[in-house]
Amino acid sequence: MITVTLRDMQHKVRNAKTLRLGLARLSKSYYGMVCAHIGVAVTVLGTCLNTIYNDQRDLRMEVGETVAIGAYEYRFAALEEVNGPNYIAQRAYIEVFADGQKISELKPEKRRYFSTDDIMTEAAIDSSAFGDLFIAMGEALEPGESGAVAWAIRIHDKPFIPWIWLGSILMALGGFLAISDKRYRLKKAVRQKTASPKPQAVTASTQTVSH
């Protein structure tokens, strides 16, 4: 769809002296159509790639442990207790590596709120142009052979999620460009003028009063 849309644009400006003059000659409504079509294509592509490559794992991890999932390695670097304004939390420090290089550190929390005594999970999210990483803490588990306390850790790799948002923004921008075209407003005014009923002439009857 993107290739066809760009090809159509190239066809429309082929006779212009310069590319700049050709692009300036195109209307806002046309640019809106191009933007919306590209937005649809980006959204569909992002949705399909996310469906194919997304990965979710529920792991048992101890502090200092490293696991490899897909293209990334995750290291449970540390665990600390944090006092918030209205809660107390266990915060995990999860380091993310790609090709041996640290690319991010996520800090999911398990919170207990003082007012209700509810236990809530605060997921950590790392967003990039090519995807989102979600990491959430579950419950503390029984110690393993090492004697260290383990935690249930959920890792969710959702690639190409930003593409879905980008496609939606492009579609909205395309609609805005289309409705801002003066030609549409002129056509609408003409249609309203044509559709409005013409005022009927009032004929006054003359009566002859004889005295």
PDB file of all heavy atoms in Angstrom, residues 148-178:
ATOM      1  N   ALA A 148      18.706 -18.808  48.482  1.00  0.00           N
ATOM      2  CA  ALA A 148      18.264 -17.432  48.236  1.00  0.00           C
ATOM      3  C   ALA A 148      16.782 -17.422  47.878  1.00  0.00           C
ATOM      4  O   ALA A 148      16.267 -18.349  47.252  1.00  0.00           O
ATOM      5  CB  ALA A 148      19.075 -16.804  47.101  1.00  0.00           C
ATOM      6  N   VAL A 149      16.094 -16.336  48.273  1.00  0.00           N
ATOM      7  CA  VAL A 149      14.684 -16.196  47.960  1.00  0.00           C
ATOM      8  C   VAL A 149      14.531 -15.877  46.471  1.00  0.00           C
ATOM      9  O   VAL A 149      15.220 -15.004  45.932  1.00  0.00           O
ATOM     10  CB  VAL A 149      14.041 -15.078  48.804  1.00  0.00           C
ATOM     11  CG1 VAL A 149      12.590 -14.872  48.403  1.00  0.00           C
ATOM     12  CG2 VAL A 149      14.152 -15.416  50.281  1.00  0.00           C
ATOM     13  N   ALA A 150      13.654 -16.591  45.817  1.00  0.00           N
ATOM     14  CA  ALA A 150      13.405 -16.366  44.393  1.00  0.00           C
ATOM     15  C   ALA A 150      12.092 -15.606  44.231  1.00  0.00           C
ATOM     16  O   ALA A 150      11.244 -15.592  45.135  1.00  0.00           O
ATOM     17  CB  ALA A 150      13.357 -17.690  43.649  1.00  0.00           C
ATOM     18  N   TRP A 151      11.950 -14.993  43.077  1.00  0.00           N
ATOM     19  CA  TRP A 151      10.743 -14.237  42.764  1.00  0.00           C
ATOM     20  C   TRP A 151      10.184 -14.696  41.428  1.00  0.00           C
ATOM     21  O   TRP A 151      10.934 -15.083  40.527  1.00  0.00           O
ATOM     22  CB  TRP A 151      11.050 -12.740  42.702  1.00  0.00           C
ATOM     23  CG  TRP A 151      11.245 -12.116  44.045  1.00  0.00           C
ATOM     24  CD1 TRP A 151      12.389 -12.132  44.795  1.00  0.00           C
ATOM     25  CD2 TRP A 151      10.270 -11.405  44.803  1.00  0.00           C
ATOM     26  NE1 TRP A 151      12.193 -11.474  45.976  1.00  0.00           N
ATOM     27  CE2 TRP A 151      10.895 -10.997  46.010  1.00  0.00           C
ATOM     28  CE3 TRP A 151       8.944 -11.051  44.597  1.00  0.00           C
ATOM     29  CZ2 TRP A 151      10.240 -10.277  46.990  1.00  0.00           C
ATOM     30  CZ3 TRP A 151       8.295 -10.319  45.570  1.00  0.00           C
ATOM     31  CH2 TRP A 151       8.932  -9.941  46.751  1.00  0.00           C
ATOM     32  N   ALA A 152       8.872 -14.633  41.331  1.00  0.00           N
ATOM     33  CA  ALA A 152       8.226 -14.881  40.042  1.00  0.00           C
ATOM     34  C   ALA A 152       8.317 -13.600  39.219  1.00  0.00           C
ATOM     35  O   ALA A 152       7.840 -12.545  39.645  1.00  0.00           O
ATOM     36  CB  ALA A 152       6.766 -15.285  40.241  1.00  0.00           C
ATOM     37  N   ILE A 153       8.929 -13.695  38.066  1.00  0.00           N
ATOM     38  CA  ILE A 153       9.149 -12.546  37.193  1.00  0.00           C
ATOM     39  C   ILE A 153       8.483 -12.824  35.845  1.00  0.00           C
ATOM     40  O   ILE A 153       8.714 -13.881  35.234  1.00  0.00           O
ATOM     41  CB  ILE A 153      10.645 -12.259  36.980  1.00  0.00           C
ATOM     42  CG1 ILE A 153      11.335 -12.014  38.319  1.00  0.00           C
ATOM     43  CG2 ILE A 153      10.839 -11.082  36.044  1.00  0.00           C
ATOM     44  CD1 ILE A 153      10.909 -10.756  39.032  1.00  0.00           C
ATOM     45  N   ARG A 154       7.661 -11.891  35.401  1.00  0.00           N
ATOM     46  CA  ARG A 154       7.033 -12.004  34.084  1.00  0.00           C
ATOM     47  C   ARG A 154       7.701 -11.024  33.132  1.00  0.00           C
ATOM     48  O   ARG A 154       7.759  -9.814  33.402  1.00  0.00           O
ATOM     49  CB  ARG A 154       5.541 -11.728  34.153  1.00  0.00           C
ATOM     50  CG  ARG A 154       4.864 -11.610  32.782  1.00  0.00           C
ATOM     51  CD  ARG A 154       3.367 -11.597  32.888  1.00  0.00           C
ATOM     52  NE  ARG A 154       2.867 -12.907  33.311  1.00  0.00           N
ATOM     53  CZ  ARG A 154       1.563 -13.191  33.455  1.00  0.00           C
ATOM     54  NH1 ARG A 154       0.650 -12.257  33.222  1.00  0.00           N
ATOM     55  NH2 ARG A 154       1.197 -14.399  33.836  1.00  0.00           N
ATOM     56  N   ILE A 155       8.200 -11.540  32.016  1.00  0.00           N
ATOM     57  CA  ILE A 155       8.837 -10.723  30.991  1.00  0.00           C
ATOM     58  C   ILE A 155       8.011 -10.827  29.712  1.00  0.00           C
ATOM     59  O   ILE A 155       7.714 -11.919  29.241  1.00  0.00           O
ATOM     60  CB  ILE A 155      10.286 -11.182  30.728  1.00  0.00           C
ATOM     61  CG1 ILE A 155      11.122 -11.028  32.002  1.00  0.00           C
ATOM     62  CG2 ILE A 155      10.909 -10.396  29.579  1.00  0.00           C
ATOM     63  CD1 ILE A 155      12.525 -11.570  31.874  1.00  0.00           C
ATOM     64  N   HIS A 156       7.639  -9.671  29.183  1.00  0.00           N
ATOM     65  CA  HIS A 156       6.803  -9.626  27.981  1.00  0.00           C
ATOM     66  C   HIS A 156       7.488  -8.724  26.955  1.00  0.00           C
ATOM     67  O   HIS A 156       7.608  -7.527  27.168  1.00  0.00           O
ATOM     68  CB  HIS A 156       5.411  -9.100  28.313  1.00  0.00           C
ATOM     69  CG  HIS A 156       4.381  -9.494  27.310  1.00  0.00           C
ATOM     70  ND1 HIS A 156       3.030  -9.332  27.504  1.00  0.00           N
ATOM     71  CD2 HIS A 156       4.498 -10.051  26.074  1.00  0.00           C
ATOM     72  CE1 HIS A 156       2.372  -9.771  26.447  1.00  0.00           C
ATOM     73  NE2 HIS A 156       3.244 -10.199  25.562  1.00  0.00           N
ATOM     74  N   ASP A 157       7.932  -9.323  25.872  1.00  0.00           N
ATOM     75  CA  ASP A 157       8.568  -8.588  24.777  1.00  0.00           C
ATOM     76  C   ASP A 157       7.527  -8.371  23.681  1.00  0.00           C
ATOM     77  O   ASP A 157       7.057  -9.331  23.057  1.00  0.00           O
ATOM     78  CB  ASP A 157       9.756  -9.395  24.241  1.00  0.00           C
ATOM     79  CG  ASP A 157      10.496  -8.656  23.128  1.00  0.00           C
ATOM     80  OD1 ASP A 157      10.150  -7.492  22.847  1.00  0.00           O
ATOM     81  OD2 ASP A 157      11.423  -9.253  22.540  1.00  0.00           O
ATOM     82  N   LYS A 158       7.153  -7.109  23.450  1.00  0.00           N
ATOM     83  CA  LYS A 158       6.124  -6.775  22.465  1.00  0.00           C
ATOM     84  C   LYS A 158       6.740  -5.880  21.386  1.00  0.00           C
ATOM     85  O   LYS A 158       6.730  -4.653  21.500  1.00  0.00           O
ATOM     86  CB  LYS A 158       4.933  -6.082  23.125  1.00  0.00           C
ATOM     87  CG  LYS A 158       4.205  -6.963  24.135  1.00  0.00           C
ATOM     88  CD  LYS A 158       3.023  -6.252  24.743  1.00  0.00           C
ATOM     89  CE  LYS A 158       1.897  -6.080  23.758  1.00  0.00           C
ATOM     90  NZ  LYS A 158       1.311  -7.352  23.319  1.00  0.00           N
ATOM     91  N   PRO A 159       7.294  -6.491  20.334  1.00  0.00           N
ATOM     92  CA  PRO A 159       7.935  -5.683  19.288  1.00  0.00           C
ATOM     93  C   PRO A 159       6.920  -4.947  18.427  1.00  0.00           C
ATOM     94  O   PRO A 159       5.777  -5.380  18.270  1.00  0.00           O
ATOM     95  CB  PRO A 159       8.695  -6.735  18.463  1.00  0.00           C
ATOM     96  CG  PRO A 159       7.926  -8.001  18.672  1.00  0.00           C
ATOM     97  CD  PRO A 159       7.390  -7.923  20.077  1.00  0.00           C
ATOM     98  N   PHE A 160       7.353  -3.808  17.887  1.00  0.00           N
ATOM     99  CA  PHE A 160       6.606  -3.012  16.908  1.00  0.00           C
ATOM    100  C   PHE A 160       5.312  -2.396  17.451  1.00  0.00           C
ATOM    101  O   PHE A 160       4.490  -1.931  16.673  1.00  0.00           O
ATOM    102  CB  PHE A 160       6.287  -3.850  15.654  1.00  0.00           C
ATOM    103  CG  PHE A 160       7.513  -4.377  14.971  1.00  0.00           C
ATOM    104  CD1 PHE A 160       7.919  -5.691  15.148  1.00  0.00           C
ATOM    105  CD2 PHE A 160       8.271  -3.543  14.172  1.00  0.00           C
ATOM    106  CE1 PHE A 160       9.057  -6.180  14.529  1.00  0.00           C
ATOM    107  CE2 PHE A 160       9.417  -4.023  13.544  1.00  0.00           C
ATOM    108  CZ  PHE A 160       9.810  -5.347  13.720  1.00  0.00           C
ATOM    109  N   ILE A 161       5.138  -2.350  18.761  1.00  0.00           N
ATOM    110  CA  ILE A 161       3.978  -1.658  19.336  1.00  0.00           C
ATOM    111  C   ILE A 161       3.964  -0.173  18.968  1.00  0.00           C
ATOM    112  O   ILE A 161       2.910   0.382  18.623  1.00  0.00           O
ATOM    113  CB  ILE A 161       3.950  -1.850  20.867  1.00  0.00           C
ATOM    114  CG1 ILE A 161       3.481  -3.263  21.221  1.00  0.00           C
ATOM    115  CG2 ILE A 161       3.017  -0.838  21.524  1.00  0.00           C
ATOM    116  CD1 ILE A 161       2.038  -3.545  20.860  1.00  0.00           C
ATOM    117  N   PRO A 162       5.117   0.535  19.000  1.00  0.00           N
ATOM    118  CA  PRO A 162       5.082   1.960  18.599  1.00  0.00           C
ATOM    119  C   PRO A 162       4.617   2.175  17.169  1.00  0.00           C
ATOM    120  O   PRO A 162       4.094   3.242  16.842  1.00  0.00           O
ATOM    121  CB  PRO A 162       6.540   2.411  18.790  1.00  0.00           C
ATOM    122  CG  PRO A 162       7.090   1.471  19.818  1.00  0.00           C
ATOM    123  CD  PRO A 162       6.441   0.158  19.523  1.00  0.00           C
ATOM    124  N   TRP A 163       4.801   1.178  16.295  1.00  0.00           N
ATOM    125  CA  TRP A 163       4.342   1.314  14.917  1.00  0.00           C
ATOM    126  C   TRP A 163       2.819   1.406  14.862  1.00  0.00           C
ATOM    127  O   TRP A 163       2.266   2.118  14.012  1.00  0.00           O
ATOM    128  CB  TRP A 163       4.829   0.146  14.081  1.00  0.00           C
ATOM    129  CG  TRP A 163       6.308   0.132  13.836  1.00  0.00           C
ATOM    130  CD1 TRP A 163       7.283   0.608  14.684  1.00  0.00           C
ATOM    131  CD2 TRP A 163       6.992  -0.360  12.687  1.00  0.00           C
ATOM    132  NE1 TRP A 163       8.523   0.424  14.135  1.00  0.00           N
ATOM    133  CE2 TRP A 163       8.387  -0.170  12.912  1.00  0.00           C
ATOM    134  CE3 TRP A 163       6.580  -0.957  11.516  1.00  0.00           C
ATOM    135  CZ2 TRP A 163       9.348  -0.544  11.987  1.00  0.00           C
ATOM    136  CZ3 TRP A 163       7.532  -1.346  10.590  1.00  0.00           C
ATOM    137  CH2 TRP A 163       8.899  -1.134  10.820  1.00  0.00           C
ATOM    138  N   ILE A 164       2.144   0.685  15.738  1.00  0.00           N
ATOM    139  CA  ILE A 164       0.682   0.741  15.771  1.00  0.00           C
ATOM    140  C   ILE A 164       0.221   2.138  16.161  1.00  0.00           C
ATOM    141  O   ILE A 164      -0.700   2.708  15.560  1.00  0.00           O
ATOM    142  CB  ILE A 164       0.139  -0.319  16.744  1.00  0.00           C
ATOM    143  CG1 ILE A 164       0.571  -1.723  16.298  1.00  0.00           C
ATOM    144  CG2 ILE A 164      -1.387  -0.244  16.830  1.00  0.00           C
ATOM    145  CD1 ILE A 164       0.189  -2.826  17.257  1.00  0.00           C
ATOM    146  N   TRP A 165       0.873   2.719  17.173  1.00  0.00           N
ATOM    147  CA  TRP A 165       0.541   4.086  17.585  1.00  0.00           C
ATOM    148  C   TRP A 165       0.881   5.085  16.489  1.00  0.00           C
ATOM    149  O   TRP A 165       0.105   6.021  16.220  1.00  0.00           O
ATOM    150  CB  TRP A 165       1.298   4.440  18.862  1.00  0.00           C
ATOM    151  CG  TRP A 165       0.782   3.746  20.076  1.00  0.00           C
ATOM    152  CD1 TRP A 165       1.337   2.683  20.721  1.00  0.00           C
ATOM    153  CD2 TRP A 165      -0.419   4.055  20.793  1.00  0.00           C
ATOM    154  NE1 TRP A 165       0.568   2.307  21.791  1.00  0.00           N
ATOM    155  CE2 TRP A 165      -0.518   3.141  21.866  1.00  0.00           C
ATOM    156  CE3 TRP A 165      -1.412   5.018  20.638  1.00  0.00           C
ATOM    157  CZ2 TRP A 165      -1.561   3.156  22.761  1.00  0.00           C
ATOM    158  CZ3 TRP A 165      -2.462   5.042  21.546  1.00  0.00           C
ATOM    159  CH2 TRP A 165      -2.525   4.120  22.595  1.00  0.00           C
ATOM    160  N   LEU A 166       2.035   4.905  15.835  1.00  0.00           N
ATOM    161  CA  LEU A 166       2.431   5.818  14.759  1.00  0.00           C
ATOM    162  C   LEU A 166       1.421   5.777  13.623  1.00  0.00           C
ATOM    163  O   LEU A 166       1.046   6.819  13.068  1.00  0.00           O
ATOM    164  CB  LEU A 166       3.823   5.444  14.249  1.00  0.00           C
ATOM    165  CG  LEU A 166       4.338   6.237  13.039  1.00  0.00           C
ATOM    166  CD1 LEU A 166       4.437   7.720  13.380  1.00  0.00           C
ATOM    167  CD2 LEU A 166       5.695   5.703  12.587  1.00  0.00           C
ATOM    168  N   GLY A 167       0.965   4.580  13.255  1.00  0.00           N
ATOM    169  CA  GLY A 167      -0.029   4.464  12.194  1.00  0.00           C
ATOM    170  C   GLY A 167      -1.325   5.167  12.547  1.00  0.00           C
ATOM    171  O   GLY A 167      -1.930   5.843  11.698  1.00  0.00           O
ATOM    172  N   SER A 168      -1.754   5.057  13.794  1.00  0.00           N
ATOM    173  CA  SER A 168      -2.979   5.731  14.232  1.00  0.00           C
ATOM    174  C   SER A 168      -2.826   7.252  14.161  1.00  0.00           C
ATOM    175  O   SER A 168      -3.744   7.959  13.746  1.00  0.00           O
ATOM    176  CB  SER A 168      -3.326   5.307  15.660  1.00  0.00           C
ATOM    177  OG  SER A 168      -3.493   3.909  15.747  1.00  0.00           O
ATOM    178  N   ILE A 169      -1.649   7.736  14.557  1.00  0.00           N
ATOM    179  CA  ILE A 169      -1.396   9.184  14.494  1.00  0.00           C
ATOM    180  C   ILE A 169      -1.406   9.667  13.048  1.00  0.00           C
ATOM    181  O   ILE A 169      -1.965  10.726  12.724  1.00  0.00           O
ATOM    182  CB  ILE A 169      -0.053   9.513  15.170  1.00  0.00           C
ATOM    183  CG1 ILE A 169      -0.151   9.241  16.678  1.00  0.00           C
ATOM    184  CG2 ILE A 169       0.340  10.962  14.918  1.00  0.00           C
ATOM    185  CD1 ILE A 169       1.165   9.346  17.402  1.00  0.00           C
ATOM    186  N   LEU A 170      -0.809   8.893  12.145  1.00  0.00           N
ATOM    187  CA  LEU A 170      -0.787   9.272  10.732  1.00  0.00           C
ATOM    188  C   LEU A 170      -2.200   9.301  10.143  1.00  0.00           C
ATOM    189  O   LEU A 170      -2.534  10.187   9.349  1.00  0.00           O
ATOM    190  CB  LEU A 170       0.095   8.305   9.944  1.00  0.00           C
ATOM    191  CG  LEU A 170       1.608   8.420  10.180  1.00  0.00           C
ATOM    192  CD1 LEU A 170       2.346   7.315   9.451  1.00  0.00           C
ATOM    193  CD2 LEU A 170       2.111   9.780   9.742  1.00  0.00           C
ATOM    194  N   MET A 171      -3.038   8.346  10.536  1.00  0.00           N
ATOM    195  CA  MET A 171      -4.421   8.343  10.036  1.00  0.00           C
ATOM    196  C   MET A 171      -5.184   9.565  10.539  1.00  0.00           C
ATOM    197  O   MET A 171      -5.933  10.195   9.785  1.00  0.00           O
ATOM    198  CB  MET A 171      -5.122   7.041  10.459  1.00  0.00           C
ATOM    199  CG  MET A 171      -4.691   5.825   9.667  1.00  0.00           C
ATOM    200  SD  MET A 171      -5.657   4.345  10.059  1.00  0.00           S
ATOM    201  CE  MET A 171      -4.888   3.849  11.595  1.00  0.00           C
ATOM    202  N   ALA A 172      -4.990   9.900  11.817  1.00  0.00           N
ATOM    203  CA  ALA A 172      -5.651  11.093  12.358  1.00  0.00           C
ATOM    204  C   ALA A 172      -5.148  12.356  11.678  1.00  0.00           C
ATOM    205  O   ALA A 172      -5.935  13.260  11.349  1.00  0.00           O
ATOM    206  CB  ALA A 172      -5.416  11.169  13.871  1.00  0.00           C
ATOM    207  N   LEU A 173      -3.847  12.436  11.434  1.00  0.00           N
ATOM    208  CA  LEU A 173      -3.276  13.588  10.742  1.00  0.00           C
ATOM    209  C   LEU A 173      -3.819  13.691   9.320  1.00  0.00           C
ATOM    210  O   LEU A 173      -4.113  14.788   8.833  1.00  0.00           O
ATOM    211  CB  LEU A 173      -1.756  13.479  10.722  1.00  0.00           C
ATOM    212  CG  LEU A 173      -0.999  14.598   9.995  1.00  0.00           C
ATOM    213  CD1 LEU A 173      -1.286  15.954  10.645  1.00  0.00           C
ATOM    214  CD2 LEU A 173       0.500  14.316   9.999  1.00  0.00           C
ATOM    215  N   GLY A 174      -3.975  12.542   8.653  1.00  0.00           N
ATOM    216  CA  GLY A 174      -4.537  12.551   7.311  1.00  0.00           C
ATOM    217  C   GLY A 174      -5.961  13.076   7.285  1.00  0.00           C
ATOM    218  O   GLY A 174      -6.332  13.856   6.403  1.00  0.00           O
ATOM    219  N   GLY A 175      -6.757  12.687   8.267  1.00  0.00           N
ATOM    220  CA  GLY A 175      -8.122  13.206   8.344  1.00  0.00           C
ATOM    221  C   GLY A 175      -8.153  14.701   8.592  1.00  0.00           C
ATOM    222  O   GLY A 175      -8.970  15.424   8.010  1.00  0.00           O
ATOM    223  N   PHE A 176      -7.251  15.191   9.448  1.00  0.00           N
ATOM    224  CA  PHE A 176      -7.188  16.626   9.727  1.00  0.00           C
ATOM    225  C   PHE A 176      -6.798  17.409   8.474  1.00  0.00           C
ATOM    226  O   PHE A 176      -7.374  18.468   8.178  1.00  0.00           O
ATOM    227  CB  PHE A 176      -6.188  16.890  10.847  1.00  0.00           C
ATOM    228  CG  PHE A 176      -5.967  18.346  11.134  1.00  0.00           C
ATOM    229  CD1 PHE A 176      -6.889  19.074  11.873  1.00  0.00           C
ATOM    230  CD2 PHE A 176      -4.836  18.996  10.664  1.00  0.00           C
ATOM    231  CE1 PHE A 176      -6.693  20.425  12.138  1.00  0.00           C
ATOM    232  CE2 PHE A 176      -4.625  20.338  10.920  1.00  0.00           C
ATOM    233  CZ  PHE A 176      -5.564  21.054  11.657  1.00  0.00           C
ATOM    234  N   LEU A 177      -5.820  16.901   7.722  1.00  0.00           N
ATOM    235  CA  LEU A 177      -5.414  17.576   6.488  1.00  0.00           C
ATOM    236  C   LEU A 177      -6.550  17.612   5.474  1.00  0.00           C
ATOM    237  O   LEU A 177      -6.749  18.603   4.774  1.00  0.00           O
ATOM    238  CB  LEU A 177      -4.194  16.868   5.888  1.00  0.00           C
ATOM    239  CG  LEU A 177      -2.860  17.070   6.610  1.00  0.00           C
ATOM    240  CD1 LEU A 177      -1.779  16.190   5.990  1.00  0.00           C
ATOM    241  CD2 LEU A 177      -2.440  18.531   6.575  1.00  0.00           C
ATOM    242  N   ALA A 178      -7.296  16.515   5.404  1.00  0.00           N
ATOM    243  CA  ALA A 178      -8.388  16.444   4.429  1.00  0.00           C
ATOM    244  C   ALA A 178      -9.483  17.466   4.739  1.00  0.00           C
ATOM    245  O   ALA A 178      -9.947  18.178   3.853  1.00  0.00           O
ATOM    246  CB  ALA A 178      -8.969  15.035   4.392  1.00  0.00           C
TER     247      ALA A 178
END
